Amino acid sequence: MELDPDQMEQKSIYKLLTGIIIPRPIGWISSISKEGIFNLAPFSFFNAVGDDPPHVMFSTSRGNNTNKDTLTNVLDTKQFVVNMVTEALAEQMNSTAQPIPAHESEFDFANLTPIPSLKIKPPRVKESLITMECELVHHYTLEHHKFGGATIMIGKIVMFHVDEKVWLDDYKINLDAYKPIARLAGAHYAKMGELFSIKRN
């Protein structure tokens, strides 16, 4: 099967891409508007991109050439928080993916607790076991798009917050206690499952 993306509809490309590239970590991004409204939304086009210094990225689509609240907020304030999603938070994370009016907060909608960050203005999700405060360093909107494109946001991590319940010696994370989830295609998500190890030569 050969598929030319230039000959495909955007919805078909999305279904194919998200079915192929799995599992994907979920960046649950909290931000704040210029008016002070807290926003929270999940993004599965998300990952770490470097450790010297530590940076993460997430990408947000722009349907009908319109920015999502997260994109608008981060471009305005140059700050955001990544709140990692665990099994216990799956339902609340999913509820924050629903569109609500910009003057309302997903924290209230999903019954989550915003708590202050230490170095930036956007709040953290208290219920999340690991959060990362980030400052925007670069953004890039994909060119030659047909449907609004997507904007890639790269942020420098300026503060890590790790709950002691998942902390191990030597800066390691206890996966049994952490229990992160990952995004698959459609309505599907994945738990950690069986692990295996391969030593590097």
Side-chain angles (χ1 to χ4, degrees):
M1 178 73 71
E2 287 77 33
L3 301 164
D4 183 345
D6 288 339
Q7 307 300 319
M8 297 169 61
E9 295 181 355
Q10 188 272 338
K11 183 178 181 180
S12 299
I13 294 172
Y14 177 82
K15 289 171 63 177
L16 182 64
L17 193 64
T18 57
I20 292 171
I21 302 176
I22 58 174
R24 300 185 306 281
I26 302 166
W28 206 9
I29 308 298
S30 53
S31 60
I32 187 172
S33 70
K34 290 188 296 185
E35 295 75 27
I37 304 299
F38 297 158
N39 180 268
L40 181 64
F43 296 88
S44 68
F45 289 180
F46 159 79
N47 220 313
V49 293
D51 62 352
D52 182 25
H55 282 69
V56 293
M57 65 74 61
F58 73 95
S59 177
T60 172
S61 61
R62 299 182 64 254
N64 298 317
N65 290 300
T66 301
N67 289 354
K68 292 184 177 180
D69 292 339
T70 300
L71 178 56
T72 297
N73 292 349
V74 176
L75 290 178
D76 285 342
T77 67
K78 307 294 189 289
Q79 298 177 337
F80 62 93
V81 177
V82 177
N83 307 274
M84 301 307 294
V85 182
T86 58
E87 293 178 24
L89 294 172
E91 291 291 341
Q92 288 167 293
M93 175 278 299
N94 186 56
S95 70
T96 63
Q98 301 182 39
I100 65 173
H103 66 273
E104 298 180 12
S105 174
E106 288 81 1
F107 280 89
D108 296 331
F109 183 76
N111 194 29
L112 292 161
T113 311
I115 56 175
S117 296
L118 295 183
K119 291 189 174 183
I120 63 175
K121 291 183 178 180
R124 298 179 289 126
V125 174
K126 180 180 180 181
E127 292 79 4
S128 178
L129 296 175
I130 299 176
T131 63
M132 294 169 279
E133 301 180 25
C134 302
E135 293 180 345
L136 181 68
V137 297
H138 184 66
H139 70 280
Y140 172 73
T141 298
L142 301 181
E143 299 177 350
H144 310 299
H145 54 77
K146 296 184 289 185
F147 311 102
T151 299
I152 300 166
M153 316 290 281
I154 297 178
K156 177 182 177 181
I157 300 172
V158 297
M159 183 63 67
F160 291 95
H161 301 267
V162 181
D163 193 294
E164 291 184 0
K165 291 194 293 288
V166 300
W167 180 258
L168 295 175
D169 292 339
D170 196 27
Y171 299 92
K172 294 179 181 179
I173 301 299
N174 184 335
L175 294 178
D176 291 332
Y178 184 16
K179 297 183 179 179
I181 62 171
R183 191 76 166 89
L184 302 177
H188 300 298
Y189 292 83
K191 300 178 182 180
M192 286 296 296
E194 183 179 354
L195 304 180
F196 68 94
S197 301
I198 301 177
K199 291 185 177 180
R200 295 186 181 182
N201 294 329

